[in-house]
Amino acid sequence: MSTTTLPEQLSDTAREFAAREHELLIDGERVAAADGRTFETIDPSSARPITSVALAGPRDVDRAVQAARRALEDSEWATLPAAGRARLINRLADLIEEDAGTFAQLEALDNGKPVKIAKVVDVDGTVRFFRHFAGWCERVFGRVIPVRQPDMLCYTRKEPVGVCGQIIPWNFPMLMASWKLAPALAAGCTVVLKPAEQTPLSALRIGELALEAGIPAGVINVLTGAGETGAALVDHPGVDKIAFTGSTEVGREIGAKTGRALKRVTLELGGKSPNIILPDADLDAAVAGSFQGIYFNTGQACNAGSRLFVHRDQFDKVVAALAARASKSRVGPGLEPNTHLGPLVSQEQHKRVLSYIEAGRAEGAELVTGGGAGAAGDGYFVEPTLFTTGRDDLKIAREEIFGPVLVALPYETLEEVAARANETEYGLAAGVWTRDIGNAHRLASMLKAGSVYINCWGEVDAGAPFGGYKASGLGREHGGEGLEAYLETKTVWTKLA
Ligand code: NAI
Ligand code: MG
């Protein structure tokens, strides 16, 4: 494949990797799809193809699941002591860290996000997640249970849940891979990872570095492909657990299928998260944080603060301050060092987001700023967009847009705003800006959301549980709760006399 059309900013290493014709990673080998199918991955900053990537079908899924099963039950991985797993995971983290510049460029190329953000958020975050979970390996404890039976030793063992099918989205490609892989490896599981079709490159590179780190063949298999590949993985009877991040629509389908098959499942889905500015807030901090809360990653974040509630008395002032910031934001290609907002990931997302902006206009919301498709070439750009409306029932105030579109809504009382904030099928995140510690924690208990941010937005730590109430998901990722989702509990009874 010709590399001449790839952006000039790419390093030689990133260019060489991006330009390869990518194959699947099964049982430690790079292989073409069994039926030879491929797809193109696109640079969203230019709408040009980057390279071709293998499209895994059901036969490839079967081979990868079998490889993962062998690695789980009959390989050096199966008998490796916990400290050995920790060493390998830490080695993988080191290799990713050494390769940080390449990974940041690959994410900026494949996803479109600003390269500086890719480095600080995605690459550094990935390294932290692997290191955090390496630390858990030697801290997976069973318990001795004080049972009522005399002369009985009753204890629990924690065992890996088994072969894990992990299906991830395109908004934080490598970071989502690390959120899934790190706890699975710490628990001693093996994995078939399915990156999103929009952004396959970084997961393939992580898979290769895992082999270089000494993680045995078959422990991490990477199947690039489309929704059908993910569906075949969910359907495969040899998969014990599915971990999914993506749309609520696909999440519901996966939940139904795994329910019927009684597979373990964790789902991290969509949101329409309310962000509330109380009248006593530090307004400068609230404006800066709320701006980042929605426009970070061009609005393509599951926990984006997409509904902003501002007290009626401060509404105009806050809206004006947000609009002023938006007009100063530079929209551009991810590999440009000065870009604030990259493009949306794909033509499909571009169309979807523009159709929401059109719906907002048609429904009578007031467009304060943005709304345009951006003027930065042929990429999938959208300007940071701000609507105001008094109506919670508008489509743009109810549905997840997953783009740089904020809807600001005025309110009058705390009880009113809490009720309106909760009036949604979602429950991923919520935020409160205030100096009043009592109101902060009253709202924290009233808001039905998996994460509540007080005077901040979107904080993440490998040790802090993350996940959704209601239609935002099932289960929690990160820390001890996240690890538990990759473990089975076995209770052992021993009659001593
Ligand atoms: P999607 O849910 O279709 O895709 C996410 C992942 O699931 C991808 O790897 C995809 O190949 C896979 N997939 C698709 N259909 C599948 C199926 N039937 N069975 C198994 N795996 C399947 O999301 P899409 O279409 O890329 O984006 C649509 C909307 O979803 C976005 O506009 C946004 O609202 C939401 N979304 C939410 C994300 C989050 O972080 N919670 C991430 C990505 C999208
Ligand atoms: Mg889809």
Side-chain angles (χ1 to χ4, degrees), residues 108-313:
L109 174 69
D110 212 10
N111 165 280
K113 66 179 63 202
V115 65
K116 279 186 209 152
I117 302 281
K119 165 70 177 62
V120 177
V121 175
D122 302 63
V123 185
D124 294 354
T126 296
V127 171
R128 277 198 302 274
F129 269 80
F130 280 116
R131 291 201 173 127
H132 175 88
F133 279 101
W136 274 107
C137 294
E138 293 179 90
R139 289 163 185 78
V140 177
F141 301 118
R143 291 183 298 150
V144 176
I145 316 295
V147 292
R148 75 187 156 78
Q149 292 85 346
D151 293 321
M152 188 71 82
L153 170 64
C154 179
Y155 67 92
T156 58
R157 294 167 44 85
K158 293 287 185 179
E159 297 181 355
V161 75
V163 172
C164 302
Q166 304 189 317
I167 301 168
I168 54 171
W170 39 261
N171 50 345
F172 298 91
M174 68 182 299
L175 190 63
M176 293 301 107
S178 75
W179 286 20
K180 300 282 182 277
L181 291 172
L185 296 176
C189 295
T190 59
V191 173
V192 179
L193 176 70
K194 212 295 281 173
E197 53 272 42
Q198 297 83 355
T199 55
L201 298 181
S202 51
L204 287 167
R205 196 166 176 89
I206 289 177
E208 290 186 6
L209 290 189
L211 290 170
E212 199 179 320
I215 294 175
V219 173
I220 299 176
N221 304 276
V222 183
L223 295 185
T224 45
E228 57 178 290
T229 314
L233 187 56
V234 173
D235 293 337
H236 197 291
V239 173
D240 299 300
K241 180 215 155 78
I242 294 288
F244 172 78
T245 297
S247 63
T248 292
E249 185 192 357
V250 173
R252 280 186 205 283
E253 193 181 312
I254 291 177
K257 284 179 172 179
T258 50
R260 271 196 300 276
L262 296 175
K263 288 179 184 169
R264 299 345 180 207
V265 68
T266 42
L267 302 170
E268 202 262 276
L269 310 176
K272 190 72 182 176
S273 297
N275 180 19
I276 302 168
I277 302 182
L278 294 187
D280 70 321
D282 172 344
L283 274 196
D284 290 339
V287 165
S290 303
F291 187 87
Q292 273 297 106
I294 179 66
Y295 298 117
F296 168 66
N297 217 41
T298 315
Q300 303 166 119
C302 50
N303 58 356
S306 50
R307 287 186 294 150
L308 179 66
F309 290 98
V310 188
H311 193 272
R312 189 169 293 288
D313 292 346

Side-chain angles (χ1 to χ4, degrees), residues 307-429:
R307 287 186 294 150
L308 179 66
F309 290 98
V310 188
H311 193 272
R312 189 169 293 288
D313 292 346
Q314 292 153 322
F315 192 75
D316 292 343
K317 189 174 167 191
V318 167
V319 165
L322 287 167
R325 274 179 177 263
S327 65
K328 282 189 238 132
S329 297
R330 277 187 303 272
V331 176
L335 285 164
E336 280 296 325
N338 296 325
T339 291
H340 294 139
L341 268 77
L344 293 167
V345 77
S346 65
Q347 187 171 33
E348 186 188 356
Q349 281 305 115
H350 194 240
K351 270 198 201 140
R352 186 193 307 254
V353 171
L354 290 177
S355 83
Y356 273 110
I357 293 174
E358 196 40 54
R361 284 193 170 111
E363 285 179 310
E366 190 194 336
L367 179 64
V368 180
T369 188
D378 298 324
Y380 307 126
F381 299 97
V382 173
E383 294 169 342
T385 298
L386 172 59
F387 281 105
T388 59
T389 175
R391 290 181 46 194
D392 298 348
D393 62 338
L394 297 191
K395 193 173 154 81
I396 56 166
R398 281 184 296 110
E399 296 183 14
E400 180 174 56
I401 299 177
F402 227 65
V405 183
L406 179 62
V407 181
L409 303 139
Y411 73 88
E412 280 173 28
T413 70
L414 190 120
E415 286 68 24
E416 169 211 329
V417 76
R420 287 170 63 194
N422 286 333
E423 190 66 37
T424 166
E425 67 166 327
Y426 294 115
L428 193 60

